[in-house]
Amino acid sequence: PLRAFKPLYYLMDIKIDWEKARQSDENFPVIVGARNGQPLIIDGWHRYAKLLRANQSDVPTVTLTEDELKQVAR
């Protein structure tokens, strides 16, 4: 659900290029991992913001395992 990422969206003060967000394909999944038990968007903030602004309730995601997230963080 979109609401799972909303606190992080504001906490991290994510800057959105709304023209890029408007052109993004909201059907392409957002890449997600977990840090300290909290979901974290790795890639897809513009798609997320577009869906949030459109009052959608869900976002398609691909969730990385802990090992995959460690590899990405390197």
Side-chain angles (χ1 to χ4, degrees):
L2 280 173
R3 68 180 178 275
F5 306 103
K6 200 168 185 178
L8 191 59
Y9 176 70
Y10 293 108
L11 179 67
M12 293 179 67
D13 193 26
I14 301 296
K15 304 294 184 213
I16 298 298
D17 175 341
W18 286 104
E19 182 57 28
K20 182 177 179 180
R22 188 184 66 75
Q23 294 176 14
S24 67
D25 182 353
E26 66 272 11
N27 295 307
F28 193 80
V30 170
I31 310 300
V32 176
R35 178 173 277 164
N36 300 325
Q38 296 297 318
L40 174 66
I41 294 177
I42 306 299
D43 180 62
W45 281 110
H46 287 90
R47 295 185 299 277
Y48 170 80
K50 180 179 182 178
L51 291 167
L52 188 64
R53 184 172 267 187
N55 293 316
Q56 297 295 313
S57 59
D58 294 310
V59 59
T61 62
V62 171
T63 304
L64 302 179
T65 65
E66 286 184 38
D67 288 337
E68 291 169 328
L69 186 58
K70 287 176 187 175
Q71 290 177 7
V72 172
R74 290 183 186 166

Coordinates of all heavy atoms in Angstrom, one line a residue:
P1 N 0.8 -1.2 0.0 CA 0.0 0.0 0.0 C 0.9 1.3 0.0 O 1.9 1.3 0.6 CB -0.8 -0.1 1.3 CG -0.6 -1.5 1.8 CD 0.6 -2.0 1.1
L2 N 0.4 2.3 -0.7 CA 1.1 3.5 -0.7 C 1.4 4.1 0.7 O 2.5 4.7 0.9 CB 0.3 4.6 -1.5 CG 0.4 4.5 -3.0 CD1 -0.6 5.4 -3.7 CD2 1.8 4.7 -3.5
R3 N 0.5 3.9 1.6 CA 0.6 4.6 2.9 C 1.9 4.0 3.6 O 2.4 4.7 4.5 CB -0.6 4.4 3.7 CG -0.9 2.9 4.1 CD -2.2 2.8 4.9 NE -2.5 1.5 5.3 CZ -3.1 0.6 4.5 NH1 -3.6 1.0 3.3 NH2 -3.3 -0.6 4.9
A4 N 2.4 2.8 3.3 CA 3.5 2.3 3.9 C 4.8 3.1 3.7 O 5.7 3.2 4.6 CB 3.8 0.9 3.4
F5 N 4.8 3.9 2.6 CA 6.0 4.7 2.3 C 5.8 6.2 2.6 O 6.8 6.9 2.6 CB 6.4 4.5 0.8 CG 6.5 3.1 0.4 CD1 5.6 2.5 -0.3 CD2 7.7 2.4 0.8 CE1 5.7 1.1 -0.6 CE2 7.9 1.1 0.4 CZ 6.9 0.5 -0.3
K6 N 4.6 6.6 2.9 CA 4.3 8.0 3.1 C 5.2 8.7 4.2 O 5.8 9.8 4.0 CB 2.9 8.3 3.4 CG 2.4 9.7 3.1 CD 0.9 9.8 3.1 CE 0.5 11.1 2.7 NZ -1.0 11.2 2.6
P7 N 5.4 8.1 5.4 CA 6.2 8.8 6.4 C 7.7 9.0 5.9 O 8.3 10.0 6.1 CB 6.2 7.8 7.6 CG 5.0 7.0 7.4 CD 4.8 6.9 5.9
L8 N 8.2 8.0 5.2 CA 9.5 8.1 4.7 C 9.6 9.2 3.6 O 10.6 9.9 3.5 CB 10.0 6.7 4.1 CG 11.4 6.5 3.7 CD1 12.3 6.8 5.0 CD2 11.7 5.1 3.2
Y9 N 8.6 9.3 2.8 CA 8.6 10.3 1.7 C 8.8 11.7 2.3 O 9.5 12.5 1.8 CB 7.2 10.2 1.0 CG 6.9 11.2 0.0 CD1 7.6 11.2 -1.3 CD2 5.9 12.1 0.2 CE1 7.2 12.1 -2.3 CE2 5.6 13.1 -0.8 CZ 6.2 13.0 -2.0 OH 5.9 13.9 -3.0
Y10 N 8.1 12.0 3.5 CA 8.2 13.3 4.1 C 9.5 13.4 5.0 O 10.2 14.4 5.0 CB 7.0 13.6 4.9 CG 5.8 13.8 4.1 CD1 4.8 12.8 4.1 CD2 5.6 14.9 3.3 CE1 3.6 13.0 3.2 CE2 4.5 15.1 2.5 CZ 3.5 14.1 2.5 OH 2.5 14.3 1.7
L11 N 9.8 12.3 5.7 CA 11.0 12.3 6.5 C 12.3 12.5 5.7 O 13.2 13.3 6.1 CB 11.1 10.9 7.2 CG 12.3 10.8 8.2 CD1 12.2 11.7 9.3 CD2 12.4 9.3 8.6
M12 N 12.4 11.9 4.5 CA 13.6 12.0 3.7 C 13.6 13.3 2.9 O 14.5 13.6 2.2 CB 13.8 10.8 2.8 CG 14.1 9.6 3.6 SD 14.3 8.1 2.5 CE 15.7 8.5 1.6
D13 N 12.4 14.0 2.9 CA 12.3 15.3 2.2 C 12.6 15.0 0.7 O 13.5 15.7 0.1 CB 13.1 16.4 2.7 CG 12.8 17.8 2.2 OD1 11.6 17.9 1.8 OD2 13.6 18.6 2.2
I14 N 12.0 14.0 0.1 CA 12.2 13.6 -1.3 C 11.8 14.8 -2.2 O 10.7 15.3 -2.1 CB 11.4 12.4 -1.6 CG1 11.8 11.2 -0.7 CG2 11.6 12.0 -3.1 CD1 13.3 10.8 -0.8
K15 N 12.7 15.2 -3.1 CA 12.4 16.2 -4.1 C 11.9 15.5 -5.4 O 12.6 14.7 -6.0 CB 13.6 17.0 -4.4 CG 14.2 17.7 -3.2 CD 13.3 18.7 -2.5 CE 14.0 19.4 -1.4 NZ 13.2 19.8 -0.3
I16 N 10.7 15.9 -5.8 CA 10.1 15.3 -7.0 C 10.1 16.3 -8.2 O 9.7 17.4 -8.0 CB 8.7 14.9 -6.7 CG1 8.6 13.8 -5.6 CG2 8.0 14.4 -8.0 CD1 9.4 12.5 -5.9
D17 N 10.6 15.9 -9.3 CA 10.5 16.6 -10.5 C 9.1 16.2 -11.1 O 9.0 15.1 -11.6 CB 11.6 16.2 -11.5 CG 11.5 16.8 -12.9 OD1 10.4 17.3 -13.2 OD2 12.5 16.8 -13.6
W18 N 8.1 17.0 -11.0 CA 6.8 16.6 -11.3 C 6.6 16.4 -12.8 O 5.7 15.6 -13.2 CB 5.8 17.6 -10.8 CG 5.7 17.5 -9.3 CD1 6.2 18.3 -8.3 CD2 5.1 16.4 -8.6 NE1 6.0 17.7 -7.1 CE2 5.3 16.6 -7.2 CE3 4.3 15.3 -9.0 CZ2 4.8 15.7 -6.2 CZ3 3.9 14.4 -8.0 CH2 4.1 14.6 -6.7
E19 N 7.4 17.0 -13.7 CA 7.3 16.7 -15.1 C 7.8 15.2 -15.3 O 7.1 14.5 -16.1 CB 8.1 17.7 -15.9 CG 8.0 17.4 -17.4 CD 6.6 17.5 -18.0 OE1 5.8 18.2 -17.4 OE2 6.4 16.8 -19.0
K20 N 8.9 14.9 -14.7 CA 9.4 13.5 -14.8 C 8.3 12.5 -14.2 O 8.1 11.4 -14.7 CB 10.7 13.3 -14.1 CG 11.3 12.0 -14.2 CD 12.7 11.9 -13.5 CE 13.2 10.5 -13.6 NZ 14.5 10.4 -13.0
A21 N 7.7 12.9 -13.1 CA 6.7 12.0 -12.4 C 5.5 11.8 -13.3 O 5.0 10.7 -13.5 CB 6.3 12.6 -11.1
R22 N 5.1 12.9 -14.0 CA 3.9 12.9 -14.9 C 4.2 11.9 -16.0 O 3.3 11.2 -16.4 CB 3.6 14.3 -15.4 CG 2.3 14.3 -16.2 CD 2.1 15.7 -16.8 NE 3.1 16.1 -17.8 CZ 3.1 15.6 -19.1 NH1 2.2 14.7 -19.5 NH2 4.0 16.0 -19.9
Q23 N 5.4 11.9 -16.5 CA 5.8 11.0 -17.6 C 6.1 9.6 -17.2 O 6.3 8.7 -18.1 CB 6.9 11.6 -18.4 CG 6.6 12.9 -19.1 CD 7.8 13.6 -19.7 OE1 8.8 12.9 -19.9 NE2 7.7 14.8 -20.1
S24 N 6.2 9.3 -15.9 CA 6.6 8.0 -15.5 C 5.5 7.0 -15.7 O 4.3 7.3 -15.7 CB 7.1 8.0 -14.0 OG 6.0 8.3 -13.2
D25 N 5.9 5.7 -15.9 CA 5.0 4.6 -16.1 C 4.6 4.0 -14.7 O 5.4 3.3 -14.2 CB 5.6 3.6 -17.0 CG 4.7 2.4 -17.3 OD1 3.6 2.4 -16.7 OD2 5.0 1.6 -18.2
E26 N 3.5 4.3 -14.2 CA 3.1 3.8 -12.9 C 2.8 2.3 -12.9 O 2.6 1.8 -11.8 CB 1.9 4.6 -12.4 CG 0.6 4.4 -13.1 CD 0.4 5.3 -14.3 OE1 1.3 6.1 -14.7 OE2 -0.7 5.4 -14.9
N27 N 2.8 1.7 -14.0 CA 2.7 0.2 -14.1 C 4.0 -0.5 -13.9 O 4.0 -1.7 -13.6 CB 2.0 -0.2 -15.4 CG 0.6 0.3 -15.5 OD1 -0.2 0.1 -14.6 ND2 0.4 1.0 -16.6
F28 N 5.1 0.2 -14.0 CA 6.4 -0.3 -13.8 C 6.7 -0.3 -12.3 O 6.4 0.6 -11.6 CB 7.5 0.6 -14.4 CG 8.8 -0.1 -14.5 CD1 9.1 -1.0 -15.5 CD2 9.8 0.2 -13.6 CE1 10.4 -1.6 -15.6 CE2 11.1 -0.3 -13.7 CZ 11.3 -1.3 -14.7
P29 N 7.0 -1.5 -11.7 CA 7.1 -1.6 -10.2 C 8.2 -0.7 -9.6 O 9.2 -0.4 -10.2 CB 7.4 -3.1 -10.0 CG 8.0 -3.6 -11.3 CD 7.4 -2.7 -12.4
V30 N 7.9 -0.3 -8.4 CA 8.8 0.4 -7.5 C 9.7 -0.7 -6.8 O 9.2 -1.7 -6.4 CB 8.0 1.2 -6.5 CG1 8.9 1.8 -5.4 CG2 7.2 2.3 -7.1
I31 N 11.0 -0.4 -6.8 CA 11.9 -1.3 -6.1 C 12.0 -1.0 -4.7 O 12.3 0.1 -4.3 CB 13.3 -1.3 -6.8 CG1 13.2 -1.4 -8.3 CG2 14.3 -2.3 -6.2 CD1 12.6 -2.7 -8.8
V32 N 11.8 -2.0 -3.8 CA 11.7 -1.8 -2.4 C 12.6 -2.8 -1.6 O 12.8 -3.9 -2.1 CB 10.2 -2.1 -1.9 CG1 10.1 -2.0 -0.4 CG2 9.3 -1.1 -2.6
G33 N 13.2 -2.3 -0.6 CA 14.0 -3.1 0.4 C 13.5 -2.8 1.8 O 12.6 -2.0 1.9
A34 N 14.1 -3.4 2.8 CA 13.7 -3.1 4.1 C 15.0 -2.7 4.9 O 16.0 -3.3 4.8 CB 13.0 -4.2 4.8
R35 N 14.9 -1.6 5.7 CA 16.0 -1.2 6.5 C 15.4 -1.0 7.9 O 14.5 -0.3 8.1 CB 16.6 0.1 6.0 CG 17.7 0.6 6.9 CD 18.4 1.8 6.3 NE 19.4 1.2 5.4 CZ 20.0 2.0 4.5 NH1 19.7 3.2 4.4 NH2 20.9 1.4 3.7
N36 N 16.0 -1.7 8.9 CA 15.5 -1.7 10.3 C 14.1 -2.0 10.4 O 13.3 -1.5 11.1 CB 15.8 -0.3 10.9 CG 17.2 0.1 10.9 OD1 18.1 -0.8 11.1 ND2 17.5 1.3 10.7
G37 N 13.6 -3.0 9.5 CA 12.3 -3.4 9.5 C 11.3 -2.5 8.9 O 10.1 -2.8 8.8
Q38 N 11.8 -1.4 8.3 CA 10.9 -0.4 7.6 C 11.1 -0.5 6.1 O 12.2 -0.6 5.6 CB 11.2 1.0 8.1 CG 10.9 1.2 9.6 CD 9.5 1.0 9.9 OE1 8.6 1.5 9.2 NE2 9.2 0.4 11.0
P39 N 10.0 -0.5 5.3 CA 10.1 -0.5 3.9 C 10.8 0.8 3.4 O 10.6 1.9 3.9 CB 8.7 -0.5 3.4 CG 7.9 0.0 4.5 CD 8.6 -0.3 5.8
L40 N 11.7 0.6 2.4 CA 12.5 1.7 1.8 C 12.4 1.6 0.3 O 12.8 0.5 -0.2 CB 13.9 1.6 2.3 CG 14.9 2.5 1.8 CD1 14.6 4.0 2.2 CD2 16.3 2.2 2.2
I41 N 12.0 2.7 -0.3 CA 12.0 2.7 -1.8 C 13.5 2.9 -2.3 O 14.1 3.9 -1.9 CB 11.1 3.8 -2.3 CG1 9.7 3.5 -2.0 CG2 11.3 3.9 -3.9 CD1 8.7 4.5 -2.4
I42 N 14.0 2.0 -3.1 CA 15.3 2.0 -3.6 C 15.3 2.8 -4.9 O 16.1 3.6 -5.3 CB 15.9 0.6 -3.8 CG1 15.8 -0.2 -2.6 CG2 17.3 0.7 -4.4 CD1 16.6 0.3 -1.4
D43 N 14.2 2.5 -5.7 CA 14.1 3.1 -7.0 C 12.6 3.3 -7.3 O 11.8 2.3 -7.1 CB 14.7 2.3 -8.1 CG 14.5 3.0 -9.5 OD1 15.0 4.1 -9.7 OD2 13.9 2.4 -10.4
G44 N 12.1 4.5 -7.7 CA 10.8 4.6 -8.1 C 10.0 5.8 -7.3 O 8.8 5.8 -7.3
W45 N 10.8 6.7 -6.8 CA 10.1 7.8 -6.0 C 9.2 8.6 -6.9 O 8.1 9.1 -6.5 CB 11.1 8.7 -5.4 CG 11.7 8.1 -4.1 CD1 12.9 7.7 -3.9 CD2 11.0 8.0 -2.9 NE1 13.1 7.2 -2.6 CE2 11.9 7.4 -2.0 CE3 9.7 8.2 -2.5 CZ2 11.5 7.1 -0.7 CZ3 9.3 7.9 -1.1 CH2 10.2 7.3 -0.3
H46 N 9.5 8.8 -8.2 CA 8.6 9.6 -9.1 C 7.4 8.8 -9.4 O 6.3 9.4 -9.4 CB 9.4 9.9 -10.4 CG 10.4 11.0 -10.2 ND1 11.7 10.7 -9.8 CD2 10.3 12.3 -10.2 CE1 12.4 11.8 -9.7 NE2 11.6 12.8 -9.9
R47 N 7.5 7.5 -9.6 CA 6.3 6.7 -9.8 C 5.4 6.7 -8.6 O 4.2 6.8 -8.6 CB 6.6 5.3 -10.2 CG 7.4 5.2 -11.5 CD 7.6 3.8 -12.0 NE 8.5 3.0 -11.1 CZ 9.8 3.1 -11.1 NH1 10.5 3.9 -12.0 NH2 10.5 2.3 -10.3
Y48 N 6.1 6.6 -7.4 CA 5.3 6.6 -6.1 C 4.6 7.9 -6.0 O 3.4 8.0 -5.6 CB 6.3 6.4 -5.0 CG 5.7 6.7 -3.6 CD1 4.9 5.7 -3.0 CD2 5.9 7.9 -3.0 CE1 4.3 5.9 -1.8 CE2 5.3 8.1 -1.8 CZ 4.5 7.2 -1.2 OH 3.9 7.4 0.0
A49 N 5.3 9.0 -6.2 CA 4.7 10.4 -6.0 C 3.5 10.5 -7.0 O 2.5 11.1 -6.6 CB 5.7 11.4 -6.3
K50 N 3.6 10.1 -8.2 CA 2.6 10.2 -9.2 C 1.3 9.4 -8.7 O 0.2 10.0 -8.7 CB 3.0 9.6 -10.5 CG 1.9 9.6 -11.6 CD 2.5 9.1 -12.9 CE 1.4 9.2 -14.0 NZ 2.0 8.6 -15.3
L51 N 1.5 8.2 -8.2 CA 0.4 7.4 -7.6 C -0.2 8.1 -6.4 O -1.4 8.1 -6.2 CB 0.8 6.0 -7.4 CG 1.1 5.2 -8.6 CD1 1.9 3.9 -8.2 CD2 -0.1 4.9 -9.4
L52 N 0.7 8.6 -5.5 CA 0.2 9.3 -4.3 C -0.7 10.5 -4.7 O -1.8 10.7 -4.1 CB 1.4 9.7 -3.5 CG 1.1 10.3 -2.1 CD1 0.5 9.2 -1.2 CD2 2.4 10.8 -1.5
R53 N -0.2 11.3 -5.6 CA -1.0 12.5 -6.0 C -2.3 12.1 -6.7 O -3.3 12.8 -6.6 CB -0.1 13.3 -7.0 CG -0.8 14.6 -7.4 CD 0.1 15.5 -8.2 NE 0.7 16.4 -7.2 CZ 1.5 17.4 -7.6 NH1 1.7 17.7 -8.9 NH2 2.0 18.2 -6.7
A54 N -2.3 10.9 -7.3 CA -3.6 10.5 -8.0 C -4.5 9.7 -7.0 O -5.5 9.2 -7.4 CB -3.2 9.5 -9.1
N55 N -4.1 9.7 -5.7 CA -4.9 9.1 -4.7 C -5.1 7.6 -4.9 O -6.2 7.1 -4.5 CB -6.3 9.8 -4.5 CG -6.2 11.2 -4.0 OD1 -5.4 11.4 -3.1 ND2 -6.9 12.1 -4.6
Q56 N -4.1 7.0 -5.4 CA -4.2 5.5 -5.6 C -3.9 4.9 -4.2 O -3.2 5.5 -3.4 CB -3.1 5.0 -6.6 CG -3.4 5.6 -8.0 CD -4.7 5.0 -8.6 OE1 -5.0 3.8 -8.5 NE2 -5.5 5.9 -9.1
S57 N -4.4 3.7 -4.0 CA -4.1 3.0 -2.7 C -3.0 2.0 -2.7 O -2.4 1.7 -1.7 CB -5.4 2.3 -2.3 OG -5.8 1.4 -3.2
D58 N -2.6 1.5 -3.9 CA -1.6 0.5 -4.0 C -0.5 0.9 -5.1 O -0.8 1.7 -6.0 CB -2.1 -0.8 -4.4 CG -3.0 -1.4 -3.3 OD1 -2.6 -1.4 -2.2 OD2 -4.2 -1.8 -3.6
V59 N 0.7 0.4 -4.9 CA 1.7 0.6 -5.9 C 2.4 -0.8 -6.2 O 2.6 -1.5 -5.2 CB 2.8 1.6 -5.3 CG1 3.4 1.1 -4.0 CG2 3.9 1.9 -6.3
P60 N 2.6 -1.1 -7.5 CA 3.3 -2.3 -7.7 C 4.7 -2.3 -7.3 O 5.4 -1.3 -7.5 CB 3.2 -2.5 -9.3 CG 3.0 -1.1 -9.8 CD 2.3 -0.3 -8.7
T61 N 5.2 -3.3 -6.6 CA 6.5 -3.3 -6.1 C 7.3 -4.6 -6.4 O 6.6 -5.7 -6.7 CB 6.6 -3.2 -4.6 OG1 5.9 -4.2 -4.0 CG2 6.0 -1.8 -4.1
V62 N 8.6 -4.5 -6.4 CA 9.5 -5.7 -6.4 C 10.3 -5.5 -5.1 O 10.9 -4.5 -4.9 CB 10.4 -5.7 -7.6 CG1 11.5 -6.8 -7.5 CG2 9.6 -5.9 -8.9
T63 N 10.2 -6.5 -4.2 CA 10.9 -6.4 -3.0 C 12.2 -7.2 -2.9 O 12.2 -8.4 -3.2 CB 10.0 -6.9 -1.8 OG1 8.7 -6.1 -1.9 CG2 10.6 -6.7 -0.5
L64 N 13.3 -6.5 -2.6 CA 14.6 -7.2 -2.6 C 14.7 -7.9 -1.2 O 14.2 -7.5 -0.2 CB 15.7 -6.1 -2.7 CG 15.7 -5.2 -3.9 CD1 16.8 -4.2 -3.8 CD2 15.8 -6.0 -5.2
T65 N 15.4 -9.0 -1.3 CA 15.8 -9.7 -0.1 C 16.8 -8.9 0.7 O 17.4 -8.0 0.1 CB 16.3 -11.1 -0.4 OG1 17.6 -11.0 -1.1 CG2 15.3 -11.9 -1.2
E66 N 17.1 -9.3 1.9 CA 18.2 -8.6 2.6 C 19.5 -8.8 1.9 O 20.3 -7.8 1.9 CB 18.3 -9.2 4.1 CG 17.1 -8.8 5.0 CD 17.3 -9.3 6.4 OE1 18.5 -9.3 6.9 OE2 16.3 -9.6 7.0
D67 N 19.8 -9.9 1.4 CA 21.1 -10.1 0.7 C 21.2 -9.3 -0.6 O 22.2 -8.7 -0.9 CB 21.3 -11.6 0.3 CG 21.6 -12.5 1.5 OD1 22.1 -11.9 2.5 OD2 21.4 -13.7 1.4
E68 N 20.1 -9.2 -1.3 CA 20.0 -8.3 -2.5 C 20.2 -6.9 -2.1 O 20.9 -6.1 -2.8 CB 18.7 -8.5 -3.3 CG 18.6 -9.9 -3.9 CD 17.2 -10.2 -4.5 OE1 16.2 -9.7 -3.9 OE2 17.1 -10.9 -5.5
L69 N 19.6 -6.5 -1.0 CA 19.7 -5.1 -0.6 C 21.2 -4.8 -0.2 O 21.7 -3.7 -0.5 CB 18.8 -4.8 0.6 CG 18.7 -3.4 1.1 CD1 18.3 -2.4 -0.1 CD2 17.8 -3.2 2.2
K70 N 21.8 -5.7 0.4 CA 23.3 -5.5 0.8 C 24.1 -5.3 -0.5 O 25.0 -4.5 -0.5 CB 23.8 -6.7 1.6 CG 23.2 -6.7 3.0 CD 23.7 -7.9 3.8 CE 23.0 -8.0 5.1 NZ 23.4 -9.2 5.8
Q71 N 23.8 -6.1 -1.5 CA 24.6 -5.9 -2.7 C 24.4 -4.6 -3.4 O 25.3 -4.0 -3.9 CB 24.2 -7.1 -3.7 CG 24.7 -8.4 -3.3 CD 24.2 -9.5 -4.2 OE1 23.6 -9.3 -5.2 NE2 24.5 -10.8 -3.8
V72 N 23.1 -4.1 -3.4 CA 22.8 -2.8 -4.0 C 23.5 -1.7 -3.2 O 23.9 -0.7 -3.7 CB 21.3 -2.6 -4.0 CG1 20.9 -1.2 -4.4 CG2 20.6 -3.6 -4.9
A73 N 23.5 -1.8 -1.9 CA 24.1 -0.8 -1.0 C 25.6 -0.6 -1.1 O 26.1 0.4 -0.6 CB 23.7 -1.1 0.5
R74 N 26.3 -1.5 -1.7 CA 27.7 -1.4 -1.9 C 28.1 -0.3 -2.8 O 27.6 0.2 -3.6 CB 28.3 -2.7 -2.4 CG 28.2 -3.8 -1.4 CD 28.8 -5.1 -1.9 NE 28.6 -6.1 -0.9 CZ 28.8 -7.4 -1.2 NH1 29.2 -7.7 -2.3 NH2 28.5 -8.3 -0.3

